[in-house]
């Protein structure tokens, strides 16, 4: 059986610009791409925390250490500079590959710099810890 699992997550990066007339994509600081194990032209899902928009596009490298996060083309209509977004990519794996697979989690600060970088196995203690931390954020 094949399963689609989270491969990479960039959590709470701020959109720095939008260019409607640029060929469609998401320009992203190259250092952040590398930390999240994203390659140029890789498909990503984008979740806009501010307005709830969710869309697919692909990433292209921006200036390293610039904090760039620019929506291009049609995606420019789905967010504005200052919006917080989550960027994710997925991997399609055989069950036998899950045991050794590592998810890259990149947490971004208010200056669009990497605040924290975690690597977690699918069945690891880190994965359980992340799930518990998220569960504790939910208030009844």
């Amino acid at each position: 059986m094949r399963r689609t699992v989270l491969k990479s997550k960039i959590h709470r990066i701020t959109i720095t610009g939008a260019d409607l007339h640029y060929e469609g994509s998401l320009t992203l600081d190259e250092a952040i791409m590398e930390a999240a194990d994203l390659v140029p032209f890789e498909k990503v899902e984008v979740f806009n925390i501010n307005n709830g928009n969710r869309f697919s596009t692909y990433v292209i490298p921006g200036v390293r250490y610039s904090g760039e996060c620019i929506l291009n083309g049609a995606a420019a209509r789905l967010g504005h500079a200052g919006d917080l977004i989550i960027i994710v990519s997925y991997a399609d794996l055989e069950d036998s590959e899950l045991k050794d697979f590592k998810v890259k989690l990149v947490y971004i600060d208010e200056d669009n710099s990497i605040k924290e970088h975690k690597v977690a196995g699918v069945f690891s203690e880190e994965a359980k810890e992340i799930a518990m931390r998220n569960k504790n954020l939910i208030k009844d």
Side-chain angles (χ1 to χ4, degrees):
M1 176 187 296
R2 296 192 70 77
R3 296 180 193 265
T4 302
V5 297
L6 181 68
K7 179 184 82 73
S8 309
K9 176 181 174 183
I10 300 169
H11 190 71
R12 298 180 68 89
I13 190 167
T14 302
I15 297 171
T16 59
D19 186 350
L20 182 62
H21 301 291
Y22 188 86
E23 188 175 334
S25 61
L26 171 68
T27 302
L28 193 57
D29 177 319
E30 189 173 31
I32 294 172
M33 282 180 61
E34 287 176 1
D37 189 26
L38 295 173
V39 297
F41 306 109
E42 184 170 345
K43 180 181 178 179
V44 293
E45 302 287 329
V46 179
F47 312 136
N48 189 316
I49 295 168
N50 290 71
N51 63 25
N53 284 326
R54 300 168 72 99
F55 57 92
S56 300
T57 190
Y58 59 92
V59 293
I60 58 173
V63 176
R64 183 179 292 277
Y65 306 120
S66 66
E68 281 184 319
C69 180
I70 303 169
L71 300 180
N72 298 310
R77 295 200 185 274
L78 301 174
H80 302 285
D83 286 359
L84 288 172
I85 60 174
I86 297 167
I87 303 168
V88 300
S89 70
Y90 300 96
D92 191 30
L93 304 172
E94 291 290 339
D95 278 349
S96 61
E97 297 173 288
L98 291 173
K99 181 179 157 226
D100 296 321
F101 184 73
K102 304 290 185 203
V103 179
K104 312 310 186 287
L105 305 165
V106 181
Y107 299 87
I108 304 297
D109 68 15
E110 53 279 343
D111 296 318
N112 274 6
S113 296
I114 297 171
K115 174 172 63 174
E116 186 177 6
H117 182 222
K118 290 186 175 187
V119 177
V122 174
F123 302 111
S124 67
E125 288 302 314
E126 294 93 348
K128 292 176 189 173
E129 178 184 309
I130 292 165
M132 288 305 295
R133 180 174 55 191
N134 290 334
K135 181 180 177 185
N136 291 333
L137 294 176
I138 299 170
K139 304 293 181 210
D140 292 330

